Amino acid sequence: MLQSPMWSQLARLKFCFVHPGKRPISYLEKLGPMMIALQGATPELEELNSSKHWICKGKRSMSIAATLLQQNKVIAVPTDTVYGLAAAAMQTDAVRRLYEIKGRDENKPLCISVSKVTQVKHWGVVNHLHRNLLSTILPGPYTIILKRTPALNPDLNPGIDTVGIRVPNSKFINCVSHIIGPLALTSANVSNEPSCLRATEFEKLWPRIDGIFYDVKQVASVKETLRKGSTIVDLSSPNHYKIVRTGIGITYLISILRRFNLTEEKSD
């Protein structure tokens, strides 16, 4: 669980990204080490332009990831399930590039990843859900399908009135998305090939990816069962749920949904 001072500092950094022309010196001085890391990320990337491999460790790596995403870049990040390819969901060019790198059919929607459970309501309609439901199952290895709100980039999954939303149990990706905003997220593999747990498994994509991030602790303890990916559940219909894809943690998820008196709607 992230402590509130960290989230407060990340919120100020997000303000600097969204409002780059409104940065008085006195304000920037209050941002502390995270702002220093963020300011140093761009020149460091320029100096080390031949390097694209980074360890997920502290403010420096978070700042580099956030800077790359702000520049419409695509990065590979570990999650609480499989490795993911991420881009800024609100930047249309970045989303298009994500499809190109993966070789993904443009008719297949992308999910988004947000930093906290309280952010879900900004991008998906949750009025019909019990107020404690999402906080009971998230963060975790689940993709929640909801009706999308008008706030979401209209060029993300055009013509589709729903969106899959993740809140991973992953400090690194959640901190980055807190700075940047929602991330378009898909598995780090060529379309229709197996999902990957280690960066070496999608090595043929490296030349096209702008940054590859590693969680050293996760590499040491990664489990093959994670390859199933997140369980996808559709909660867009009041009082019902539909399992779209069986993945990690499905037994627990169903028990929680039933506890909240939701009835299963069978997939066609």
Side-chain angles (χ1 to χ4, degrees):
M1 178 68 69
L2 292 176
Q3 298 179 357
S4 56
M6 168 70 93
W7 282 116
S8 177
Q9 194 171 99
L10 289 172
R12 293 195 292 269
L13 284 174
K14 182 177 180 180
F15 178 91
C16 288
F17 269 116
V18 177
H19 305 286
K22 301 178 180 180
R23 305 187 198 179
I25 297 300
S26 60
Y27 181 84
L28 294 180
E29 289 174 347
K30 297 178 182 179
L31 292 176
M34 181 65 91
M35 190 63 217
I36 294 173
L38 187 62
Q39 288 179 320
T42 298
E44 182 173 356
L45 285 168
E46 293 173 351
E47 182 177 343
L48 300 175
N49 57 14
S50 62
S51 175
K52 61 171 68 177
H53 299 268
W54 311 91
I55 301 298
C56 299
K57 187 178 180 180
K59 300 177 180 66
R60 174 173 172 267
S61 58
M62 290 178 194
S63 299
I64 289 171
T67 300
L68 287 169
L69 290 166
Q70 188 200 31
Q71 296 172 349
N72 283 349
K73 306 293 187 181
V74 173
I75 64 174
V77 289
T79 72
D80 55 349
T81 57
V82 299
Y83 245 95
L85 293 179
M90 301 302 284
Q91 298 184 25
T92 299
D93 289 343
V95 171
R96 289 172 179 165
R97 190 154 179 269
L98 187 57
Y99 273 100
E100 292 172 0
I101 291 173
K102 188 177 172 71
R104 186 179 178 89
D105 184 344
E106 293 185 358
N107 293 317
K108 290 184 177 181
L110 295 170
C111 76
I112 64 171
S113 179
V114 299
S115 58
K116 297 185 290 186
V117 177
T118 53
Q119 287 292 310
V120 173
K121 64 185 178 182
H122 295 295
W123 315 107
V125 177
V126 300
N127 296 341
H128 60 292
L129 299 177
H130 189 284
R131 62 181 181 179
N132 294 327
L133 174 57
L134 294 181
S135 61
T136 302
I137 59 179
L138 298 173
Y142 306 111
T143 300
I144 311 300
I145 297 177
L146 298 167
K147 295 289 187 183
R148 60 189 289 160
T149 69
L152 192 60
N153 180 1
D155 292 324
L156 180 76
N157 310 331
I160 300 176
D161 65 353
T162 58
V163 63
I165 302 178
R166 288 216 62 202
V167 185
N169 188 18
S170 172
K171 177 180 178 180
F172 180 79
I173 192 172
N174 289 349
C175 285
V176 172
S177 63
H178 190 78
I179 298 170
I180 291 295
L183 304 179
L185 188 66
T186 183
S187 57
N189 56 283
V190 175
S191 189
N192 299 320
E193 292 190 3
S195 298
C196 301
L197 298 177
R198 303 167 184 85
T200 52
E201 296 176 6
F202 57 89
E203 190 170 356
K204 59 185 174 183
L205 291 180
W206 287 6
R208 307 185 68 187
I209 300 171
D210 302 295
I212 302 160
F213 292 81
Y214 300 80
D215 186 335
V216 177
K217 295 180 181 179
Q218 185 175 358
V219 169
S221 60
V222 67
K223 297 179 180 179
E224 188 64 27
T225 53
L226 295 178
R227 203 179 295 276
K228 294 187 295 184
S230 65
T231 291
I232 303 177
V233 58
D234 190 332
L235 297 181
S236 61
S237 298
N239 305 316
H240 291 84
Y241 72 90
K242 179 190 290 187
I243 301 298
V244 177
R245 184 181 74 188
T246 299
I248 301 168
I250 187 169
T251 301
Y252 172 76
L253 175 64
I254 291 176
S255 70
I256 295 300
L257 297 176
R258 289 176 176 172
R259 185 193 305 174
F260 281 88
N261 299 316
L262 298 186
T263 303
E264 182 176 9
E265 180 181 344
K266 298 294 185 180
S267 300
D268 296 334

PDB file of all heavy atoms in Angstrom, residues 7 14 66 69 113-116 119 166 168 170-183:
ATOM      1  N   TRP A   7       1.568   9.602  -2.640  1.00  0.00           N
ATOM      2  CA  TRP A   7       0.475   9.936  -3.561  1.00  0.00           C
ATOM      3  C   TRP A   7       0.341  11.443  -3.704  1.00  0.00           C
ATOM      4  O   TRP A   7       0.050  11.960  -4.780  1.00  0.00           O
ATOM      5  CB  TRP A   7      -0.836   9.340  -3.061  1.00  0.00           C
ATOM      6  CG  TRP A   7      -0.948   7.890  -3.338  1.00  0.00           C
ATOM      7  CD1 TRP A   7      -1.026   6.885  -2.424  1.00  0.00           C
ATOM      8  CD2 TRP A   7      -0.965   7.247  -4.619  1.00  0.00           C
ATOM      9  NE1 TRP A   7      -1.085   5.680  -3.058  1.00  0.00           N
ATOM     10  CE2 TRP A   7      -1.061   5.862  -4.396  1.00  0.00           C
ATOM     11  CE3 TRP A   7      -0.908   7.716  -5.927  1.00  0.00           C
ATOM     12  CZ2 TRP A   7      -1.104   4.942  -5.430  1.00  0.00           C
ATOM     13  CZ3 TRP A   7      -0.952   6.795  -6.973  1.00  0.00           C
ATOM     14  CH2 TRP A   7      -1.054   5.430  -6.711  1.00  0.00           C
ATOM     15  N   LYS A  14       1.665  15.090 -11.464  1.00  0.00           N
ATOM     16  CA  LYS A  14       0.639  14.988 -12.502  1.00  0.00           C
ATOM     17  C   LYS A  14       0.194  16.386 -12.926  1.00  0.00           C
ATOM     18  O   LYS A  14      -0.007  16.652 -14.113  1.00  0.00           O
ATOM     19  CB  LYS A  14      -0.551  14.188 -11.977  1.00  0.00           C
ATOM     20  CG  LYS A  14      -1.652  13.999 -13.011  1.00  0.00           C
ATOM     21  CD  LYS A  14      -2.758  13.131 -12.450  1.00  0.00           C
ATOM     22  CE  LYS A  14      -3.866  12.942 -13.487  1.00  0.00           C
ATOM     23  NZ  LYS A  14      -4.960  12.108 -12.975  1.00  0.00           N
ATOM     24  N   ALA A  66       7.447   7.610 -16.968  1.00  0.00           N
ATOM     25  CA  ALA A  66       6.450   8.660 -17.188  1.00  0.00           C
ATOM     26  C   ALA A  66       6.858   9.578 -18.333  1.00  0.00           C
ATOM     27  O   ALA A  66       6.029   9.978 -19.155  1.00  0.00           O
ATOM     28  CB  ALA A  66       6.254   9.470 -15.907  1.00  0.00           C
ATOM     29  N   LEU A  69       6.314   7.833 -21.707  1.00  0.00           N
ATOM     30  CA  LEU A  69       4.895   7.768 -22.045  1.00  0.00           C
ATOM     31  C   LEU A  69       4.372   9.131 -22.486  1.00  0.00           C
ATOM     32  O   LEU A  69       3.561   9.229 -23.413  1.00  0.00           O
ATOM     33  CB  LEU A  69       4.098   7.249 -20.847  1.00  0.00           C
ATOM     34  CG  LEU A  69       4.329   5.769 -20.512  1.00  0.00           C
ATOM     35  CD1 LEU A  69       3.787   5.439 -19.132  1.00  0.00           C
ATOM     36  CD2 LEU A  69       3.680   4.878 -21.561  1.00  0.00           C
ATOM     37  N   SER A 113      -5.337   0.840 -17.654  1.00  0.00           N
ATOM     38  CA  SER A 113      -4.864   0.608 -16.292  1.00  0.00           C
ATOM     39  C   SER A 113      -4.852   1.938 -15.562  1.00  0.00           C
ATOM     40  O   SER A 113      -4.318   2.933 -16.074  1.00  0.00           O
ATOM     41  CB  SER A 113      -3.463  -0.006 -16.319  1.00  0.00           C
ATOM     42  OG  SER A 113      -2.962  -0.222 -15.013  1.00  0.00           O
ATOM     43  N   VAL A 114      -5.450   1.971 -14.378  1.00  0.00           N
ATOM     44  CA  VAL A 114      -5.487   3.203 -13.584  1.00  0.00           C
ATOM     45  C   VAL A 114      -4.813   2.958 -12.241  1.00  0.00           C
ATOM     46  O   VAL A 114      -4.568   1.822 -11.840  1.00  0.00           O
ATOM     47  CB  VAL A 114      -6.933   3.706 -13.389  1.00  0.00           C
ATOM     48  CG1 VAL A 114      -7.574   4.015 -14.732  1.00  0.00           C
ATOM     49  CG2 VAL A 114      -7.781   2.694 -12.628  1.00  0.00           C
ATOM     50  N   SER A 115      -4.516   4.051 -11.549  1.00  0.00           N
ATOM     51  CA  SER A 115      -3.653   3.974 -10.379  1.00  0.00           C
ATOM     52  C   SER A 115      -4.344   3.487  -9.110  1.00  0.00           C
ATOM     53  O   SER A 115      -3.723   2.837  -8.271  1.00  0.00           O
ATOM     54  CB  SER A 115      -3.034   5.342 -10.114  1.00  0.00           C
ATOM     55  OG  SER A 115      -4.041   6.321  -9.915  1.00  0.00           O
ATOM     56  N   LYS A 116      -5.610   3.834  -8.964  1.00  0.00           N
ATOM     57  CA  LYS A 116      -6.327   3.513  -7.732  1.00  0.00           C
ATOM     58  C   LYS A 116      -7.773   3.161  -8.050  1.00  0.00           C
ATOM     59  O   LYS A 116      -8.307   3.551  -9.093  1.00  0.00           O
ATOM     60  CB  LYS A 116      -6.305   4.710  -6.760  1.00  0.00           C
ATOM     61  CG  LYS A 116      -4.937   5.108  -6.275  1.00  0.00           C
ATOM     62  CD  LYS A 116      -5.012   6.204  -5.226  1.00  0.00           C
ATOM     63  CE  LYS A 116      -5.457   7.531  -5.814  1.00  0.00           C
ATOM     64  NZ  LYS A 116      -5.393   8.636  -4.813  1.00  0.00           N
ATOM     65  N   GLN A 119     -10.166   5.846  -9.074  1.00  0.00           N
ATOM     66  CA  GLN A 119     -10.054   6.395 -10.421  1.00  0.00           C
ATOM     67  C   GLN A 119     -10.974   5.690 -11.422  1.00  0.00           C
ATOM     68  O   GLN A 119     -11.235   6.218 -12.502  1.00  0.00           O
ATOM     69  CB  GLN A 119      -8.606   6.278 -10.908  1.00  0.00           C
ATOM     70  CG  GLN A 119      -7.642   7.240 -10.242  1.00  0.00           C
ATOM     71  CD  GLN A 119      -7.912   8.683 -10.643  1.00  0.00           C
ATOM     72  OE1 GLN A 119      -8.026   8.991 -11.823  1.00  0.00           O
ATOM     73  NE2 GLN A 119      -8.011   9.552  -9.652  1.00  0.00           N
ATOM     74  N   ARG A 166      -8.267  -2.019 -15.439  1.00  0.00           N
ATOM     75  CA  ARG A 166      -7.437  -2.742 -14.483  1.00  0.00           C
ATOM     76  C   ARG A 166      -6.910  -1.783 -13.423  1.00  0.00           C
ATOM     77  O   ARG A 166      -6.628  -0.618 -13.697  1.00  0.00           O
ATOM     78  CB  ARG A 166      -6.242  -3.401 -15.186  1.00  0.00           C
ATOM     79  CG  ARG A 166      -6.582  -4.612 -16.046  1.00  0.00           C
ATOM     80  CD  ARG A 166      -5.472  -5.649 -15.953  1.00  0.00           C
ATOM     81  NE  ARG A 166      -5.359  -6.119 -14.580  1.00  0.00           N
ATOM     82  CZ  ARG A 166      -4.247  -6.682 -14.068  1.00  0.00           C
ATOM     83  NH1 ARG A 166      -3.167  -6.822 -14.816  1.00  0.00           N
ATOM     84  NH2 ARG A 166      -4.219  -7.086 -12.811  1.00  0.00           N
ATOM     85  N   PRO A 168      -3.898  -2.878 -11.271  1.00  0.00           N
ATOM     86  CA  PRO A 168      -2.994  -3.975 -10.910  1.00  0.00           C
ATOM     87  C   PRO A 168      -2.481  -3.838  -9.485  1.00  0.00           C
ATOM     88  O   PRO A 168      -2.383  -2.733  -8.943  1.00  0.00           O
ATOM     89  CB  PRO A 168      -1.845  -3.840 -11.919  1.00  0.00           C
ATOM     90  CG  PRO A 168      -2.346  -2.929 -12.991  1.00  0.00           C
ATOM     91  CD  PRO A 168      -3.347  -2.034 -12.333  1.00  0.00           C
ATOM     92  N   SER A 170       0.406  -3.605  -8.377  1.00  0.00           N
ATOM     93  CA  SER A 170       1.772  -3.329  -8.798  1.00  0.00           C
ATOM     94  C   SER A 170       2.089  -1.866  -8.517  1.00  0.00           C
ATOM     95  O   SER A 170       1.551  -0.963  -9.165  1.00  0.00           O
ATOM     96  CB  SER A 170       1.948  -3.619 -10.299  1.00  0.00           C
ATOM     97  OG  SER A 170       3.208  -3.200 -10.762  1.00  0.00           O
ATOM     98  N   LYS A 171       2.965  -1.626  -7.562  1.00  0.00           N
ATOM     99  CA  LYS A 171       3.281  -0.249  -7.153  1.00  0.00           C
ATOM    100  C   LYS A 171       3.854   0.553  -8.305  1.00  0.00           C
ATOM    101  O   LYS A 171       3.474   1.717  -8.504  1.00  0.00           O
ATOM    102  CB  LYS A 171       4.270  -0.289  -5.986  1.00  0.00           C
ATOM    103  CG  LYS A 171       4.731   1.083  -5.518  1.00  0.00           C
ATOM    104  CD  LYS A 171       5.699   0.965  -4.363  1.00  0.00           C
ATOM    105  CE  LYS A 171       6.209   2.332  -3.923  1.00  0.00           C
ATOM    106  NZ  LYS A 171       7.160   2.233  -2.781  1.00  0.00           N
ATOM    107  N   PHE A 172       4.748  -0.035  -9.086  1.00  0.00           N
ATOM    108  CA  PHE A 172       5.435   0.721 -10.135  1.00  0.00           C
ATOM    109  C   PHE A 172       4.455   1.241 -11.181  1.00  0.00           C
ATOM    110  O   PHE A 172       4.391   2.436 -11.456  1.00  0.00           O
ATOM    111  CB  PHE A 172       6.501  -0.158 -10.804  1.00  0.00           C
ATOM    112  CG  PHE A 172       7.248   0.542 -11.901  1.00  0.00           C
ATOM    113  CD1 PHE A 172       8.266   1.428 -11.598  1.00  0.00           C
ATOM    114  CD2 PHE A 172       6.931   0.322 -13.232  1.00  0.00           C
ATOM    115  CE1 PHE A 172       8.964   2.092 -12.605  1.00  0.00           C
ATOM    116  CE2 PHE A 172       7.621   0.980 -14.244  1.00  0.00           C
ATOM    117  CZ  PHE A 172       8.639   1.871 -13.928  1.00  0.00           C
ATOM    118  N   ILE A 173       3.678   0.361 -11.795  1.00  0.00           N
ATOM    119  CA  ILE A 173       2.780   0.787 -12.859  1.00  0.00           C
ATOM    120  C   ILE A 173       1.694   1.714 -12.323  1.00  0.00           C
ATOM    121  O   ILE A 173       1.269   2.648 -13.012  1.00  0.00           O
ATOM    122  CB  ILE A 173       2.173  -0.437 -13.586  1.00  0.00           C
ATOM    123  CG1 ILE A 173       1.473   0.020 -14.875  1.00  0.00           C
ATOM    124  CG2 ILE A 173       1.229  -1.211 -12.705  1.00  0.00           C
ATOM    125  CD1 ILE A 173       1.024  -1.130 -15.754  1.00  0.00           C
ATOM    126  N   ASN A 174       1.265   1.503 -11.088  1.00  0.00           N
ATOM    127  CA  ASN A 174       0.241   2.384 -10.525  1.00  0.00           C
ATOM    128  C   ASN A 174       0.776   3.794 -10.268  1.00  0.00           C
ATOM    129  O   ASN A 174       0.070   4.781 -10.489  1.00  0.00           O
ATOM    130  CB  ASN A 174      -0.305   1.782  -9.229  1.00  0.00           C
ATOM    131  CG  ASN A 174      -1.156   0.554  -9.478  1.00  0.00           C
ATOM    132  OD1 ASN A 174      -1.513   0.261 -10.613  1.00  0.00           O
ATOM    133  ND2 ASN A 174      -1.470  -0.181  -8.419  1.00  0.00           N
ATOM    134  N   CYS A 175       2.029   3.889  -9.841  1.00  0.00           N
ATOM    135  CA  CYS A 175       2.621   5.217  -9.645  1.00  0.00           C
ATOM    136  C   CYS A 175       2.765   5.943 -10.978  1.00  0.00           C
ATOM    137  O   CYS A 175       2.495   7.149 -11.074  1.00  0.00           O
ATOM    138  CB  CYS A 175       3.989   5.088  -8.972  1.00  0.00           C
ATOM    139  SG  CYS A 175       3.932   4.702  -7.217  1.00  0.00           S
ATOM    140  N   VAL A 176       3.187   5.225 -12.000  1.00  0.00           N
ATOM    141  CA  VAL A 176       3.353   5.838 -13.316  1.00  0.00           C
ATOM    142  C   VAL A 176       2.011   6.324 -13.859  1.00  0.00           C
ATOM    143  O   VAL A 176       1.895   7.438 -14.377  1.00  0.00           O
ATOM    144  CB  VAL A 176       4.023   4.847 -14.292  1.00  0.00           C
ATOM    145  CG1 VAL A 176       4.026   5.409 -15.707  1.00  0.00           C
ATOM    146  CG2 VAL A 176       5.446   4.546 -13.846  1.00  0.00           C
ATOM    147  N   SER A 177       0.974   5.503 -13.736  1.00  0.00           N
ATOM    148  CA  SER A 177      -0.334   5.910 -14.251  1.00  0.00           C
ATOM    149  C   SER A 177      -0.934   7.039 -13.416  1.00  0.00           C
ATOM    150  O   SER A 177      -1.740   7.831 -13.920  1.00  0.00           O
ATOM    151  CB  SER A 177      -1.296   4.713 -14.312  1.00  0.00           C
ATOM    152  OG  SER A 177      -1.549   4.186 -13.028  1.00  0.00           O
ATOM    153  N   HIS A 178      -0.533   7.147 -12.160  1.00  0.00           N
ATOM    154  CA  HIS A 178      -1.011   8.270 -11.346  1.00  0.00           C
ATOM    155  C   HIS A 178      -0.451   9.586 -11.877  1.00  0.00           C
ATOM    156  O   HIS A 178      -1.115  10.628 -11.822  1.00  0.00           O
ATOM    157  CB  HIS A 178      -0.599   8.082  -9.886  1.00  0.00           C
ATOM    158  CG  HIS A 178      -1.243   9.063  -8.952  1.00  0.00           C
ATOM    159  ND1 HIS A 178      -2.549   8.930  -8.520  1.00  0.00           N
ATOM    160  CD2 HIS A 178      -0.779  10.199  -8.381  1.00  0.00           C
ATOM    161  CE1 HIS A 178      -2.856   9.936  -7.723  1.00  0.00           C
ATOM    162  NE2 HIS A 178      -1.795  10.719  -7.619  1.00  0.00           N
ATOM    163  N   ILE A 179       0.764   9.545 -12.412  1.00  0.00           N
ATOM    164  CA  ILE A 179       1.378  10.736 -12.983  1.00  0.00           C
ATOM    165  C   ILE A 179       0.808  11.044 -14.366  1.00  0.00           C
ATOM    166  O   ILE A 179       0.440  12.184 -14.671  1.00  0.00           O
ATOM    167  CB  ILE A 179       2.906  10.559 -13.088  1.00  0.00           C
ATOM    168  CG1 ILE A 179       3.532  10.375 -11.702  1.00  0.00           C
ATOM    169  CG2 ILE A 179       3.545  11.758 -13.795  1.00  0.00           C
ATOM    170  CD1 ILE A 179       4.992   9.954 -11.737  1.00  0.00           C
ATOM    171  N   ILE A 180       0.739  10.037 -15.207  1.00  0.00           N
ATOM    172  CA  ILE A 180       0.406  10.210 -16.617  1.00  0.00           C
ATOM    173  C   ILE A 180      -1.091  10.232 -16.883  1.00  0.00           C
ATOM    174  O   ILE A 180      -1.588  10.919 -17.772  1.00  0.00           O
ATOM    175  CB  ILE A 180       1.063   9.086 -17.456  1.00  0.00           C
ATOM    176  CG1 ILE A 180       2.571   9.272 -17.461  1.00  0.00           C
ATOM    177  CG2 ILE A 180       0.533   9.058 -18.883  1.00  0.00           C
ATOM    178  CD1 ILE A 180       3.030  10.533 -18.146  1.00  0.00           C
ATOM    179  N   GLY A 181      -1.847   9.456 -16.095  1.00  0.00           N
ATOM    180  CA  GLY A 181      -3.257   9.225 -16.394  1.00  0.00           C
ATOM    181  C   GLY A 181      -3.429   7.782 -16.825  1.00  0.00           C
ATOM    182  O   GLY A 181      -2.510   6.965 -16.704  1.00  0.00           O
ATOM    183  N   PRO A 182      -4.586   7.416 -17.336  1.00  0.00           N
ATOM    184  CA  PRO A 182      -4.834   6.016 -17.684  1.00  0.00           C
ATOM    185  C   PRO A 182      -3.864   5.524 -18.751  1.00  0.00           C
ATOM    186  O   PRO A 182      -3.510   6.254 -19.673  1.00  0.00           O
ATOM    187  CB  PRO A 182      -6.276   6.021 -18.190  1.00  0.00           C
ATOM    188  CG  PRO A 182      -6.504   7.429 -18.660  1.00  0.00           C
ATOM    189  CD  PRO A 182      -5.718   8.289 -17.715  1.00  0.00           C
ATOM    190  N   LEU A 183      -3.445   4.283 -18.599  1.00  0.00           N
ATOM    191  CA  LEU A 183      -2.538   3.663 -19.561  1.00  0.00           C
ATOM    192  C   LEU A 183      -3.305   2.653 -20.397  1.00  0.00           C
ATOM    193  O   LEU A 183      -4.062   1.843 -19.859  1.00  0.00           O
ATOM    194  CB  LEU A 183      -1.393   2.946 -18.845  1.00  0.00           C
ATOM    195  CG  LEU A 183      -0.547   3.780 -17.878  1.00  0.00           C
ATOM    196  CD1 LEU A 183       0.518   2.896 -17.248  1.00  0.00           C
ATOM    197  CD2 LEU A 183       0.075   4.967 -18.587  1.00  0.00           C
TER     198      LEU A 183
END
